[in-house]
Amino acid sequence: MRKTITTALAAVLFTALTACGSGGDAADDGKITMGFAQVGAESGWRTANTKSIQDSAKEAGIELKFSDAQQKQENQIKAIRSYIQQRVDIIAFSPVVETGWDTVLQEAKRANIPVILTDRAIDSDDTSLYKTFLGSDFIDEGKKAGEWLAENSDGPTNVVELQGTTGAAPAIDRKEGFEEAIKSKPDIKIIASQTGDFTRSGGKQVMEAFLKSEPDIDVVYAHNDDMGLGAIEAIKAAGKQPGVDIKIITVDAVKDGMTALADGEINFIVECNPLLGPQLMDLTKKVIAGEEVPNRVVTEETTFDQEQAKAALPDRKY
Ligand code: AHR
């Protein structure tokens, strides 16, 4: 009986503490602790993004607690709950998928721990659950890819699409933007579309299947470089020349993708900038200081054709 009462009292005390506190103690000791829940290590883009966040935190004097969710939402939710328990000052994360975040973010809000979304957005009506969203405009990226194809295709064009992770903001938005841009060109048709989960092996596997089931493929639209690079392996193994027999459009512009573009194996890349660390640390300091921050910060990016890739490659950092 006494044990039950003690346990109940401890639970009440814990709830009261997490409900009334204000995250960690940055306000008292001036030291900021950030809990960052990363998607995983699925691509060259993600590796560059992780490095940018880790390096920038160090430079900004922010203590970083970092976790890798291995592309699983349940792992990210667990990591966020653990950051709440550890009473970090701020939580930042790049959501694996768009939906299913309200409950855990309400828990962070009740514990007075501010949240910043980086890279990917969530689909929630409650915008009070996060302070700001820093990242690319994925619909615009998809549009740029589609516009290039609309300008550079002639006559009937069969496209196969390698989608990113099902339910992830960049997969949903890059598809939407691309379809929007090719709408006015009825000759361009997406004849097959499947997820390759943003990985090189996924891209290769799906492309192998497409090459078997679709005898007449003109273009691959891959939602990231890694899947495009996997598709290149499959196309070569099928005895065709990537970039010539089958044109390839990708998104990201990481070094491996840019090298394939410069070598003529990819035809066009839409940039998605992974170097979000410095802006994230800047926004973090402002949020902790109680300053106003814009609710959306869009990353600036460009596009590359083969000649532009050759020029940019020597200075490409990632
Ligand atoms: O969310 C950004 C996307 O995630 C990148 O384009 C892709 O490479 C990564 O896995």
Side-chain angles (χ1 to χ4, degrees):
M1 176 70 168
R2 187 180 298 158
K3 198 173 166 204
T4 314
I5 293 172
T6 316
T7 313
L9 276 174
V12 169
L13 190 62
F14 175 76
T15 311
L17 275 173
T18 49
C20 303
S22 56
D25 49 14
D28 308 330
D29 66 5
K31 182 123 186 88
I32 300 171
T33 302
M34 170 190 284
F36 190 94
Q38 181 60 291
V39 170
E42 73 282 8
S43 62
W45 189 99
R46 190 63 57 195
T47 306
N49 179 247
T50 292
K51 185 172 174 347
S52 170
I53 285 155
Q54 289 172 335
D55 290 353
S56 315
K58 205 179 270 174
E59 233 163 78
I62 291 174
E63 191 195 325
L64 185 68
K65 291 178 188 289
F66 184 90
S67 60
D68 173 339
Q70 296 177 346
Q71 286 190 279
K72 291 199 173 74
Q73 182 174 34
E74 68 259 33
N75 291 346
Q76 268 192 321
I77 291 176
K78 258 189 228 155
I80 292 170
R81 289 214 165 104
S82 138
Y83 295 146
I84 296 171
Q85 274 202 331
Q86 293 172 60
R87 306 185 52 71
V88 297
D89 299 301
I90 190 157
I91 292 170
F93 79 114
S94 172
V96 178
V97 290
E98 274 191 340
T99 54
W101 299 102
D102 283 43
T103 305
V104 72
L105 294 187
Q106 274 153 8
E107 290 166 29
K109 191 176 171 186
R110 275 199 299 276
N112 279 330
I113 301 178
V115 170
I116 295 183
L117 302 178
T118 76
D119 164 35
R120 298 180 181 181
I122 59 166
D123 183 3
S124 168
D125 291 334
D126 188 354
T127 52
S128 77
L129 294 177
Y130 55 91
K131 295 286 176 195
T132 181
F133 164 39
L134 161 69
S136 309
D137 180 338
F138 296 134
I139 295 185
D140 195 48
E141 289 174 351
K143 269 192 196 149
K144 287 176 187 164
E147 277 160 9
W148 182 85
L149 183 60
E151 278 161 28
N152 290 276
S153 70
D154 209 5
T157 306
N158 288 340
V159 181
V160 295
E161 181 181 31
L162 297 171
Q163 290 185 43
T165 304
T166 306
I172 296 166
D173 293 354
R174 286 174 188 164
K175 181 170 185 53
E176 185 186 324
F178 186 81
E179 285 175 353
E180 172 71 34
I182 60 167
K183 217 166 54 186
S184 59
K185 298 271 278 191
D187 268 353
I188 304 176
K189 288 196 174 62
I190 302 177
I191 55 166
S193 179
Q194 210 176 299
T195 180
D197 214 11
F198 281 129
T199 65
R200 208 172 283 210
S201 58
K204 184 176 177 199
Q205 217 175 311
V206 175
M207 191 63 204
E208 281 165 355
F210 283 165
L211 284 161
K212 280 185 195 134
S213 62
E214 306 292 342
D216 196 11
I217 300 172
D218 300 304
V219 175
V220 173
Y221 168 44
H223 289 188
N224 79 344
D225 285 351
D226 279 83
M227 290 190 295
L229 292 162
I232 288 175
E233 289 176 32
I235 292 168
K236 283 183 179 166
K240 297 193 176 188
Q241 205 182 335
V244 178
D245 298 328
I246 297 180
K247 302 252 188 301
I248 303 181
I249 305 166
T250 66
V251 183
D252 274 355
V254 295
K255 224 175 200 161
D256 287 356
M258 292 286 272
T259 305
L261 180 60
D263 290 347
E265 293 187 330
I266 291 180
N267 303 81
F268 188 66
I269 300 186
V270 178
E271 184 183 40
C272 179
N273 187 352
L275 307 181
L276 303 177
Q279 275 173 296
L280 173 61
M281 300 312 149
D282 201 41
L283 287 165
T284 292
K285 286 186 175 172
K286 287 189 174 143
V287 168
I288 296 292
E291 289 174 34
E292 280 293 309
V293 292
N295 53 16
R296 176 75 170 103
V297 181
V298 183
T299 319
E300 278 181 32
E301 31 213 32
T302 183
T303 60
F304 297 94
D305 61 20
Q306 292 173 337
E307 287 314 309
Q308 289 163 329
K310 279 181 203 159
L313 249 183
D315 299 323
R316 206 73 185 158
K317 299 262 177 322
Y318 54 91

